[in-house]
Amino acid sequence: MQLGTRWSAGGDPPARLTEAFVAQVRAVEADLPAGERGVARWTLTWLEGRPVAELDLGIVVTLDHTGRVVVRHDDEDEFG
């Protein structure tokens, strides 16, 4: 695992992320209650070269083994 960075929901994600990945991050942020925007924070790490962005509210945006962007809640099984 490689440590990345943190940023506030609604802020600018790291430029290294693909457009498709950022689009899913923005879609998650669009569904947040107004009071969470700018308060909730994303943590970006890299696992096996793939980005994993976790919102401190428990929402995870990552890439699957085919490169497809996946959104899940941290209590869901990543492989099921």
Side-chain angles (χ1 to χ4, degrees):
M1 184 187 310
Q2 179 183 14
L3 186 58
T5 189
R6 289 180 52 85
W7 75 97
S8 296
D12 292 328
R16 185 173 170 190
L17 297 172
T18 66
E19 288 182 33
F21 196 94
V22 171
Q24 280 304 142
V25 165
R26 296 290 186 218
V28 168
E29 292 173 344
D31 287 339
L32 292 176
E36 293 295 338
R37 292 187 197 120
V39 176
R41 295 190 43 91
W42 290 99
T43 300
L44 175 67
T45 54
W46 297 86
L47 183 61
E48 297 178 358
R50 295 187 301 223
V52 178
E54 184 168 359
L55 192 60
D56 53 6
L57 300 173
I59 301 167
V60 179
V61 180
T62 190
L63 296 179
D64 69 9
H65 67 282
T66 67
R68 182 178 61 109
V69 181
V70 177
V71 178
R72 63 180 175 82
H73 197 272
D74 68 359
D75 63 358
E76 294 175 1
D77 181 3
E78 178 177 1
F79 303 102

